[in-house]
Amino acid sequence: MAVTLKYPFVKIEAPPEYRGVPHINPRLCIGCGACVNACPADALLRIDDYEKGTRKIVLDVGRCIRCARCDEACPTGAIRMTRNFEVATLDRKDHVEVVELRLHRCPNCGSYTDYTERALEKALQILPEGLFDGDEIRKRAILCRNCRRKLTVDDAVEASREVVE
Amino acid sequence: MKEWARKITDEKVRERYVNEVIERFRDKIIRVERNADNQWMIEIRKEDLPEVIGYIINHPEWKETQLSTMVGADERPLRGKFSLIYWISINGASGDVFFGIKTYISEDDPKFPSVTPIHPGANWYEREVKDLLGLIPEGHPDPRRLVLPDDWPEGVYPLRKDFHYTDSPKREFTDETKYPYREPPKGTAVFPLGPYHVALDEPGHFRLYVKGEEIVDVDYRLFYQHRGIEKIGENRLTYDQVNFIAERICGICGTAHALAYAQAVEAAGGVEVPERAEYIRTVMAEIERLHSHLLNLGLACHDVGFDKGFMDAFRLREHVMWLAERLTGNRKTYGMVVIGGVRRDFLEYRRSMIEKVIRELREGFQKWADQTLSTKTFVKRCEGVGVLSYKDAKRWSSVGPWARGSGRDLDARRDHPFAAYKYLDFKVPVYKEGDVLARCLVRAEEILESIWIIEQALDEMPGGDILAEWKEIPPYQEAVGFTEAPRGEDVHYVMTGEGNRLYRWRIRASTYNNFPALPDAMRGNSVADAVLIIASMDPCYSCTERVQVVDARSGKVRVLTEKELTELSRKASRGV
Amino acid sequence: MSGYERIAFSFIAVCLILFLPPLLDGVARKIKAKIQLRQGAPILQTYYDLVTFLSMEPVYPTERLAFRLAPYIAFASAVSAALVLPYGRVIPVSFTGDIFVFLYVLAMVSIAYMIAGFSLNNTYTNTGANREMMIMLSIEPVLGLAIGTLALNAHTLRIGAIPFAVTFTLSVLLAYGLLAYSVYVEGGFIPFDVAEAEQEILEGVFSEYSGYLLGIFKWALMIKRFALLWLLSSFISIPLVRNIASGALGGALILVIQLMVLFLLYTSIAVIESMNARLRIEQIIRQNAGVFVCSIAVLVLAALGW
Ligand code: SF4
Ligand code: SF4
């Protein structure tokens, strides 16, 4: 009675608790970068291109140490540890996953913000209905940082003017 | 807390030790500070280092005192000086105290009197600060390089703060940079072992100076795998991230490292860990010990050609690995320990899994031990081989089964109760013979003790949280964290810093304290036993040496293209 | 004995000598794997290994001729040793005094190993060669005395004829014991495999060999083991059936029994190997010295006619 298996000629299934190779579901990822900040091994990178207006979240399984910090950090459950453990390949590129997302463009000045369209969408979605100045927040949220600051200053100036008048 | 733990951690006992040192060196001490529960830092001038350290370590009544770690740090940005701390611990179940003997060294006069002549255990530590920080131990008997590669330029000190972690100085491999191995004693031949050797499993180069088959002397060169983890930890990683890198210092005793690190930060930052988390940590540490000891015992069999024992030990071990996989998500690198607690709870089904596995393991292991110890040829090979005397074990500050096989009665789990060990009962097996067999027996008994510890921990585990919230760690706090890894005490020193990052992190794996004693154990033995003796120390090179592929000659990283590689392998296998 | 029987059995003998040893090795590996609860490599694995080795160009660590010739010397010697043994009722090569030739060519295999080991400036090969020499010097006399005792009893100096003529006395029984022991030691089975110990000295001389030279060398050592065990198996099986076996059919019967005993021996050796650790060279020498003293005593017994 042998206890070894004829691996790799028989398939082996990892247990349900297994922390295998992480994988990003590109449909769920909003490009928030939380996973990038959490990753101890720099297996995840965030690459922004403000010219083209894109953000790439790059996962390099070859650097990954399977710690599952990204899995814990991700707000949408886009990056998940799978039960796959077989990563041998002849092509190093097989180890790399890229999710490309569009950066949000400020409707006011037309420059790209440092968050993605999806992240914004998601943020607006989870904004509770009937919030006190909900509309105001919605109005500001879509602006880039500069325009938002300007709007805030303008508003303040206007408000103080009103007070003065 | 159990009675025995209360006795060891008693405030009065601790104070007695501290007071004696303070009394004795009243005029030499500049400052005394209590860093943590069991840790006192005593600042002295550098001239007094050998005297004070010698006094504590060689104190006739404090039996198992030893140099637990030594830390050199570049504190120039803070105080304009370098610092050195010798951490000395009291062991042998006679009190839970760590002394940090600290001194400052200025940049213009980077010399300090070496402690090695008084306590050889300081040998590596002092060579390491010389390599990495440029602090010169005066009067050191063996000031050769230890850590840095042979072709690393003089005068570049990677652990200084002005050296950026991505810097890579120009290196040139010449005849002059060749490592100065000791001249072979008269009438001996050199028997090289490694850097790559089938039975060593990891790179380490030994030169056995032999007469016939008898080993007359030994020289070695290590640190082929120095990865500069400490530097990355100080620069690139946050507190939380370091935990996972710490775990990957070693492929065998990762949890011991992760735990030591977490405990160091917890001690420095005053983070209270929930009791349930302490129990879970304990169980994980013991599971790790089980698999590590089974691995080592198996390899001992393999090294003497007894493959049945080898395979059987590995078969038993496999169940422990599977258990770990179900508990934590992986066979190794459990990723359980984080600062403040643990990440996964033991749910009910996992608990019954543990119970089942360890019950079967106890039976299976007892059978294994009977079978192996009744294999005469195996016992014949291990008996009286590689004897490390108590004196040598003590003078090199050896730890773990390596030291316990030579009669040193020390075990961090008992002597400095951490995690949940203070709530549990267990024995610390000690053998006096000091040979390979004694070390095997220590490990075998420890396996049974570990099973017993796990059983108790499961029974007594309280409910509640498994992770404490912590917000901010105050900067510039110093503390050490320690665990008993399968190979002996692991010590991590941390100095916290600003911006959620460490200022200094010093890892000391158990093998670091065990390795220098190896030549003493090997002298007078046969070449045939060299590998067995090395294995009986259970060395862990990458732990000790804490990556990249560099061609030693050109200093360039060379990556073969796929085509070249296939070409090469085809050539090799078909001879075309 | 007809000429055809001679030719047929000699042909079978050559085939067995060349092609059976790898199979035996494969069987032993499988048995060990089973004892260790492993799947183990296929039984034919040793053939695959040999074919791979033989198809590869070696790397030469030295220019010395001795290094290149050693595997061939070992191979030729091992084959010659096997040829003086009986296969069925046929001994392919037989002449008076071939006892000495047998011992001599057997020693030649070890000597080839030593020549190879000492032709290099490498501590591993030197140590391996050294160990081989010590073992050979300590065990060959025992083997010689054991065979000598039997020859004395059988009144023949043809090794292949001994089992057909030996009569059982106390000294002969003891000599059988010594024969079994020396065959085991000389065969380099665990715990006596020190000359090729992998973990200690990287398989000694083999650490410098590669390609077809390695293949031939390994093959030679397998044939040497085969010759040794065939000797033992013949000495056990032929006396059992020599009275009832006559003619070509009888020869076939003997051959079948020889083979069965051989497999039995190989299997038990695999089991013993699994249950043991390798000894240190000086432990082996000490043990062999004791056995040598015993074998002299046995020879004296035989001379006294017991
Ligand atoms: S598992 Fe860990 S190392 Fe891997 S990508 Fe996620 S955070 Fe990074
Ligand atoms: S944390 Fe999740 S949503 Fe955010 S970038 Fe990473 S994968 Fe995408």
Side-chain angles (χ1 to χ4, degrees):
Chain A
M1 173 211 51
V3 293
T4 47
L5 298 171
K6 294 215 149 134
Y7 184 79
F9 305 109
V10 295
K11 199 108 198 90
I12 292 181
E13 185 105 351
E17 295 89 350
Y18 190 67
R19 273 184 282 133
V21 178
H23 163 70
I24 308 180
N25 181 343
R27 265 194 256 144
L28 290 180
C29 177
I30 56 171
C32 66
C35 53
V36 178
N37 291 339
C39 180
D42 277 2
L44 282 155
L45 296 177
R46 184 185 60 208
I47 304 168
D48 287 350
D49 184 337
Y50 291 107
E51 299 285 290
K52 292 206 213 98
T54 58
R55 162 167 299 175
K56 282 189 198 141
I57 300 289
V58 182
L59 165 64
D60 181 352
V61 169
R63 283 193 66 103
C64 169
I65 57 174
R66 320 277 189 267
C67 68
R69 284 311 259 185
C70 48
D71 184 312
E72 281 167 10
C74 181
T76 63
I79 189 162
R80 279 277 171 265
M81 308 307 276
T82 64
R83 278 157 68 188
N84 174 24
F85 54 88
E86 290 164 321
V87 286
T89 168
L90 286 177
D91 187 358
R92 180 75 175 78
K93 290 196 204 81
D94 292 349
H95 284 165
V96 184
E97 265 181 40
V98 183
V99 177
E100 193 172 320
L101 295 159
R102 301 231 28 101
L103 285 175
H104 174 67
R105 194 176 200 146
C106 174
N108 198 28
C109 65
S111 65
Y112 288 105
T113 59
D114 59 356
Y115 49 88
T116 62
E117 286 172 350
R118 274 207 206 154
L120 177 65
E121 217 174 281
K122 174 92 183 174
L124 294 179
Q125 245 174 39
I126 55 174
L127 209 62
E129 281 301 325
L131 195 70
F132 165 55
D133 45 1
D135 288 343
E136 196 57 28
I137 293 177
R138 282 198 181 85
K139 190 173 106 199
R140 275 157 206 275
I142 56 170
L143 298 178
C144 71
R145 206 166 276 151
N146 273 337
C147 295
R148 199 181 309 148
R149 194 180 309 124
K150 236 170 84 212
L151 183 67
T152 313
V153 175
D154 287 353
D155 279 0
V157 171
E158 200 163 302
S160 55
R161 203 174 284 146
E162 269 169 26
V163 172
V164 173
E165 278 167 13
Chain B
M1 204 187 277
K2 293 272 182 199
E3 191 49 40
W4 64 265
R6 205 168 294 133
K7 248 191 240 157
I8 290 172
T9 55
D10 187 3
E11 253 333 90
K12 280 201 215 86
V13 177
R14 287 174 174 162
E15 268 161 24
R16 224 182 36 237
Y17 287 106
V18 179
N19 288 343
E20 178 167 347
V21 174
I22 295 178
E23 280 305 308
R24 163 102 202 188
F25 296 106
R26 186 162 286 286
D27 48 332
K28 301 210 157 118
I29 292 174
I30 301 172
R31 188 171 59 102
V32 178
E33 191 188 329
R34 188 169 186 177
N35 300 50
D37 212 23
N38 55 359
Q39 298 163 26
W40 275 264
M41 190 116 83
I42 299 175
E43 191 189 325
I44 55 173
R45 275 166 315 174
K46 65 179 183 184
E47 297 79 39
D48 300 328
L49 277 177
E51 193 189 341
V52 176
I53 292 167
Y55 176 76
I56 303 177
I57 281 206
N58 297 329
H59 195 293
E61 276 154 44
W62 306 352
K63 263 226 184 98
E64 303 296 353
T65 333
Q66 68 152 359
L67 184 57
S68 275
T69 184
M70 187 264 242
V71 191
D74 181 3
E75 292 192 31
R76 285 175 304 167
L78 302 178
R79 291 191 180 75
K81 287 184 169 175
F82 293 100
S83 71
L84 279 186
I85 317 173
Y86 289 76
W87 286 97
I88 304 167
S89 57
I90 307 283
N91 300 291
S94 46
D96 174 21
V97 183
F98 276 82
F99 287 111
I101 308 295
K102 184 161 191 172
T103 191
Y104 287 98
I105 295 173
S106 72
E107 196 177 349
D108 341 309
D109 180 23
K111 296 192 183 115
F112 65 97
S114 168
V115 177
T116 311
I118 295 173
H119 182 65
N123 185 321
W124 279 24
Y125 292 105
E126 292 178 345
R127 283 161 75 184
E128 182 170 333
V129 292
K130 177 165 172 267
D131 278 14
L132 301 181
L133 285 161
L135 306 177
I136 319 273
E138 277 198 306
H140 193 291
D142 181 13
R144 291 179 296 174
R145 256 193 192 167
L146 180 73
V147 179
L148 293 177
D150 299 344
D151 56 350
W152 187 271
E154 291 289 333
V156 182
Y157 304 112
L159 263 190
R160 289 193 174 182
K161 291 287 174 192
D162 42 23
F163 184 94
H164 192 260
Y165 78 96
T166 53
D167 287 353
S168 179
K170 200 170 145 22
R171 289 155 61 176
E172 218 174 311
F173 193 83
T174 62
D175 277 348
E176 260 149 61
T177 62
K178 266 195 196 147
Y179 190 71
Y181 287 103
R182 277 206 297 276
E183 279 299 311
K186 252 209 160 132
T188 61
V190 181
F191 190 97
L193 210 64
Y196 291 97
H197 184 283
V198 270
L200 288 182
D201 306 317
E202 278 183 75
H205 182 61
F206 294 84
R207 297 204 154 196
L208 312 180
Y209 301 124
V210 296
K211 256 193 197 127
E213 287 218 13
E214 191 202 320
I215 303 171
V216 179
D217 203 0
V218 183
D219 200 6
Y220 52 78
R221 175 86 167 115
L222 295 174
F223 290 84
Y224 291 98
Q225 310 187 83
H226 188 78
R227 288 165 287 176
I229 283 186
E230 290 171 356
K231 190 80 182 173
I232 296 181
E234 287 163 23
N235 287 279
R236 213 194 73 201
L237 305 172
T238 61
Y239 288 127
D240 257 339
Q241 289 179 336
V242 170
N243 232 168
F244 296 94
I245 300 297
E247 185 158 21
R248 278 147 185 93
I249 291 166
C250 177
I252 302 284
C253 45
T255 290
H257 280 289
L259 189 52
Y261 165 75
Q263 286 177 353
V265 176
E266 283 154 9
V271 181
E272 285 282 336
V273 180
E275 208 170 296
R276 185 173 176 81
E278 290 193 320
Y279 272 92
I280 295 178
R281 285 176 169 188
T282 305
V283 173
M284 289 325 299
E286 292 308 315
I287 287 180
E288 187 170 78
R289 190 177 326 279
L290 285 179
H291 98 78
S292 173
H293 279 0
L294 284 169
L295 172 111
N296 181 263
L297 290 173
L299 287 181
C301 292
H302 180 57
D303 285 341
V304 295
F306 179 41
D307 281 351
K308 167 88 176 130
F310 168 47
M311 287 292 163
D312 282 350
F314 268 58
R315 183 163 42 82
L316 291 172
R317 173 174 182 262
E318 198 56 24
H319 292 278
V320 182
M321 306 304 274
W322 286 335
L323 174 66
E325 194 174 32
R326 303 283 322 255
L327 291 177
T328 69
N330 239 321
R331 299 160 59 88
K332 272 309 310 158
T333 49
Y334 306 144
M336 277 294 251
V337 181
V338 285
I339 297 168
V342 293
R343 272 164 98 198
R344 287 196 191 195
D345 205 347
F346 283 172
L347 308 173
E348 225 20 71
Y349 79 96
R350 293 194 179 136
R351 198 191 139 120
S352 50
M353 255 171 348
I354 307 179
E355 279 165 355
K356 180 162 170 291
V357 170
I358 58 171
R359 198 170 41 222
E360 287 168 6
L361 179 65
R362 173 178 281 144
E363 247 169 63
F365 181 71
Q366 243 142 13
K367 251 197 227 145
W368 181 90
D370 288 346
Q371 172 199 306
T372 308
L373 293 178
S374 62
T375 301
K376 274 211 204 93
T377 33
F378 176 77
V379 176
K380 259 195 199 167
R381 279 300 298 271
C382 297
E383 230 172 0
V385 164
V387 177
L388 178 72
S389 66
Y390 174 84
K391 220 178 94 228
D392 286 335
K394 161 105 200 206
R395 93 192 161 100
W396 291 108
S397 275
S398 295
V399 293
W402 174 245
R404 288 196 280 277
S406 297
R408 287 203 80 182
D409 183 13
L410 83 184
D411 186 325
R413 293 175 292 173
R414 179 199 61 194
D415 302 340
H416 313 286
F418 57 91
Y421 291 108
K422 45 190 174 290
Y423 312 122
L424 308 170
D425 274 319
F426 54 94
K427 280 203 304 274
V428 176
V430 176
Y431 280 77
K432 294 228 160 20
E433 291 77 3
D435 55 1
V436 173
L437 189 65
R439 301 194 268 276
C440 285
L441 291 173
V442 167
R443 291 200 178 92
E445 278 185 42
E446 280 183 17
I447 287 183
L448 297 173
E449 281 308 307
S450 289
I451 294 176
W452 165 229
I453 291 175
I454 296 174
E455 280 171 344
Q456 289 178 73
L458 287 182
D459 278 349
E460 290 168 25
M461 190 177 293
D465 275 346
I466 55 163
L467 190 58
E469 283 283 326
W470 54 273
K471 288 257 148 45
E472 217 172 299
I473 308 269
Y476 310 116
Q477 301 296 311
E478 297 167 77
V480 287
F482 37 83
T483 53
E484 181 75 14
R487 296 162 175 72
E489 172 200 54
D490 274 354
V491 183
H492 283 224
Y493 159 91
V494 297
M495 179 171 182
T496 58
E498 281 162 358
N500 206 14
R501 274 178 171 63
L502 290 162
Y503 187 83
R504 175 81 172 98
W505 177 29
R506 168 73 163 99
I507 305 156
R508 203 277 289 154
S510 19
T511 308
Y512 196 94
N513 270 22
N514 290 341
F515 210 104
L518 198 51
D520 284 342
M522 281 167 92
R523 262 178 228 121
N525 284 281
S526 146
V527 170
D529 292 325
V531 167
L532 179 66
I533 298 170
I534 296 171
S536 77
M537 184 186 72
D538 203 0
C540 184
Y541 297 86
S542 40
C543 263
T544 312
E545 305 171 2
R546 311 140 264 147
V547 195
Q548 63 198 348
V549 186
V550 179
D551 183 338
R553 237 158 229 296
S554 65
K556 272 200 206 99
V557 184
R558 183 166 144 66
V559 182
L560 294 173
T561 64
E562 189 195 321
K563 212 170 131 229
E564 281 175 304
L565 195 69
T566 350
E567 198 62 23
L568 266 182
S569 46
R570 198 170 298 140
K571 239 195 217 151
S573 64
R574 279 291 170 261
V576 273
Chain C
M1 198 185 298
S2 74
Y4 289 125
E5 187 187 345
R6 226 193 132 66
I7 293 170
F9 275 84
S10 298
F11 178 73
I12 295 174
V14 173
C15 291
L16 287 181
I17 293 169
L18 290 180
F19 301 116
L20 191 61
L23 178 70
L24 291 171
D25 194 57
V27 171
R29 279 163 82 169
K30 198 73 178 177
I31 292 169
K32 284 187 216 163
K34 288 295 163 203
I35 291 176
Q36 295 162 4
L37 303 186
R38 285 188 291 120
Q39 296 273 356
I43 288 186
L44 298 183
Q45 186 63 43
T46 312
Y47 291 107
Y48 305 150
D49 292 352
L50 267 188
V51 169
T52 314
F53 284 143
L54 292 178
S55 67
M56 279 161 76
E57 203 56 48
V59 176
Y60 296 100
T62 171
E63 289 295 309
R64 297 221 178 124
L65 200 59
F67 180 83
R68 289 171 195 232
L69 286 184
Y72 298 104
I73 298 173
F75 191 83
S77 312
V79 172
S80 338
L83 279 176
V84 298
L85 300 175
Y87 297 81
R89 296 192 310 146
V90 173
I91 303 165
V93 179
S94 174
F95 47 89
T96 304
D98 63 9
I99 286 188
F100 304 107
V101 173
F102 178 77
L103 290 172
Y104 175 74
V105 289
L106 211 56
M108 267 318 281
V109 181
S110 302
I111 290 169
Y113 189 87
M114 281 147 49
I115 291 175
F118 290 128
S119 73
L120 289 161
N121 191 15
N122 173 331
T123 12
Y124 289 105
T125 60
N126 292 352
T127 312
N130 215 354
R131 288 178 174 189
E132 181 72 31
M133 181 168 73
M134 301 216 287
I135 292 209
M136 190 192 78
L137 290 180
S138 72
I139 200 64
E140 278 265 335
V142 179
L143 183 63
L145 284 173
I147 297 178
T149 310
L150 296 172
L152 193 65
N153 177 291
H155 298 292
T156 168
L157 282 179
R158 291 166 189 251
I159 193 162
I162 295 174
F164 290 97
V166 74
T167 53
F168 283 89
T169 60
L170 175 65
S171 59
V172 164
L173 287 179
L174 292 173
Y176 264 76
L178 292 170
L179 186 67
Y181 176 79
S182 47
V183 160
Y184 193 95
V185 178
E186 179 82 44
F189 295 104
I190 295 174
F192 305 105
D193 68 331
V194 287
E196 292 112 54
E198 185 202 328
Q199 293 87 359
E200 292 166 13
I201 53 169
L202 303 173
E203 297 196 72
V205 172
F206 290 153
S207 60
E208 286 287 7
Y209 273 98
S210 56
Y212 59 75
L213 286 183
L214 178 64
I216 290 171
F217 224 145
K218 289 221 157 179
W219 198 358
L221 288 200
M222 278 186 254
I223 294 174
K224 176 188 166 192
R225 281 183 170 183
F226 167 82
L228 284 163
L229 285 168
W230 192 257
L231 173 78
L232 188 59
S233 121
S234 308
F235 275 47
I236 293 171
S237 45
I238 293 175
L240 289 181
V241 286
R242 64 186 175 206
N243 294 335
I244 51 165
S246 62
L249 222 61
L253 175 71
I254 292 179
L255 188 64
V256 169
I257 295 182
Q258 275 177 310
L259 279 169
M260 274 162 42
V261 175
L262 178 73
F263 271 94
L264 214 70
L265 287 174
Y266 231 98
T267 316
S268 0
I269 286 175
V271 175
I272 299 174
E273 279 201 281
S274 302
M275 295 302 171
N276 273 295
R278 180 181 309 120
L279 285 170
R280 254 195 312 272
I281 182 79
E282 82 271 1
Q283 291 169 331
I284 297 175
I285 301 301
R286 219 177 303 133
Q287 190 166 320
N288 286 354
V291 175
F292 177 64
V293 175
C294 295
S295 53
I296 292 181
V298 170
L299 187 67
V300 173
L301 273 186
L304 294 177
W306 279 338

